[in-house]
Amino acid sequence: MIEGLKDKVAIVTGGGHGIGKTYCLGFGRAGASVVTADIDGPAAEAVASQVAKETGAKSLGLSVDVADEESTKAMAAATIERFGRIDILVNNAAIFATIPMNRGGIETIDPKEWDRLMAVNLKGLFFCSRAVLPAMRARKSGKIINISSSTVFSGSAGRIHYVTSKAGVIGFTRTLAREAGEDNIQVNAIAPGSTLSEENPTEDILRFRRLQVQGRALRRVQMPQDLVGAVLFLASGLSDFMTGQTLSVDGGAAMR
Ligand SMILES: NC(=O)c1ccc[n+]([C@@H]2O[C@H](COP(=O)([O-])OP(=O)(O)OC[C@H]3O[C@@H](n4cnc5c(N)ncnc54)[C@H](O)[C@@H]3O)[C@@H](O)[C@H]2O)c1
């Protein structure tokens, strides 16, 4: 277990399902208090109950739309009201598996879908980070971890809006790192490889995930648990002199 997270307060957006849920449980096991924020409110509450039951951590589930600034302000206010501070924000919510996106070529993407995807995957980081920064700046301490994707390094045909949004996450991370550094706030990103995050994967999905193994140095399917160590590291004091960086956690698919 990574030490130094005991009694820290962590918000995980998109924590109601998939990889975000695994981050919530990881923070709980590390002794942090966990806020699970998700547009799927019942799922957020279910994960919060699971975190409390399985790890004994203090937890809170919130219904939050990261693309709505008022909703993200309410998320920060509810966290401070319940726990008194915000130490860590994991910007994980995205249109990915739970909210289906068009996986066709550029000609088939509806501009409205492009806009909604950018609103969640990019503007969501902007709103959530702005919502928590005042509390972090006041304490001269904080960790913001943004979830990008390894698709940024290789391209991934059939979801140009998604990959473009995840490339934006890296520029956002570098710039916010420069802006927030003066208040001792570290901002880093993680680029996960193709991860079996689906709760009820179909045969097609399983086949797709297995296919990704071929391009990796480590020859197995990536699971949500494979990402938890990197998130806890970037949330902990072990990474206090690291900021503006993107860690690839993909079994050695992209080597940069
Ligand atoms: N699974 C992969 O292969 C993979 C690879 C690289 C990066 N990622 C990234 O990792 C993160 C998690 O991926 P996942 O596979 O667990 O996806 P997922 O679709 O299972 O989970 C995304 C979560 O975000 C929530 N969400 C969606 N829109 C929201 C909104 N407007 N406000 C609040 N919550 C919202 C969903 O309800 C869901 O709980 C995403 O940022 C994704 O882009 C995933």
Side-chain angles (χ1 to χ4, degrees):
M1 187 206 287
I2 289 189
E3 292 182 9
L5 288 170
K6 192 157 166 30
D7 301 326
K8 298 280 185 189
V9 177
I11 299 175
V12 179
T13 69
H17 296 277
I19 307 172
K21 177 175 165 177
T22 310
Y23 295 150
C24 290
L25 288 160
F27 276 116
R29 288 193 189 100
S33 300
V34 186
V35 178
T36 304
D38 203 290
I39 199 164
D40 183 345
E45 281 173 25
V47 170
S49 302
Q50 191 180 343
V51 167
K53 203 169 148 203
E54 283 185 21
T55 73
K58 293 182 199 145
S59 73
L60 176 66
L62 295 175
S63 172
V64 176
D65 179 358
V66 299
D68 173 356
E69 186 163 28
E70 289 311 311
S71 182
T72 62
K73 284 182 180 167
M75 170 185 83
T79 303
I80 289 167
E81 190 188 321
R82 176 70 175 272
F83 298 120
R85 55 199 269 181
I86 304 169
D87 299 295
I88 300 151
L89 168 68
V90 183
N91 276 316
N92 165 78
I95 292 182
F96 183 67
T98 314
I99 298 178
M101 71 177 134
N102 182 335
R103 291 183 195 250
I106 188 168
E107 295 85 354
T108 69
I109 291 174
D110 184 334
K112 286 199 189 79
E113 183 180 327
W114 175 283
D115 287 346
R116 176 64 186 159
L117 191 136
M118 293 300 165
V120 175
N121 294 18
L122 268 182
K123 210 198 273 177
L125 270 70
F126 169 57
F127 287 154
C128 290
S129 303
R130 282 203 329 178
V132 304
L133 273 168
M136 291 183 175
R137 286 196 193 277
R139 302 186 73 250
K140 296 262 183 264
S141 160
K143 302 274 186 179
I144 296 179
I145 301 153
N146 300 319
I147 305 301
S148 178
S149 166
S150 63
T151 56
V152 165
F153 307 118
S154 53
S156 178
R159 41 184 167 163
I160 197 166
H161 45 357
Y162 174 79
V163 180
T164 304
S165 74
K166 291 295 174 178
V169 169
I170 295 178
F172 180 91
T173 299
R174 292 176 179 166
T175 303
L176 187 60
R178 294 213 179 264
E179 292 189 5
E182 63 188 4
D183 284 320
N184 188 37
I185 296 163
Q186 290 84 41
V187 187
N188 291 291
I190 290 178
S194 177
T195 304
L196 182 56
S197 63
E198 291 82 5
E199 286 158 3
N200 299 300
T202 60
E203 269 309 309
D204 273 357
I205 287 172
L206 286 172
R207 208 171 306 118
F208 174 76
R209 297 295 183 204
R210 286 185 197 122
L211 210 62
Q212 312 309 311
V213 173
Q214 290 170 10
R216 285 192 186 130
L218 302 174
R219 300 210 154 237
R220 66 167 171 80
V221 170
Q222 180 163 356
M223 301 303 290
Q225 192 59 38
D226 291 318
L227 290 151
V228 174
V231 166
L232 297 186
F233 166 66
L234 290 178
S236 79
L238 294 175
S239 57
D240 272 355
F241 207 56
M242 247 183 93
T243 196
Q245 305 304 311
T246 300
L247 270 186
S248 286
V249 182
D250 62 2
M255 298 191 188
R256 296 168 296 122

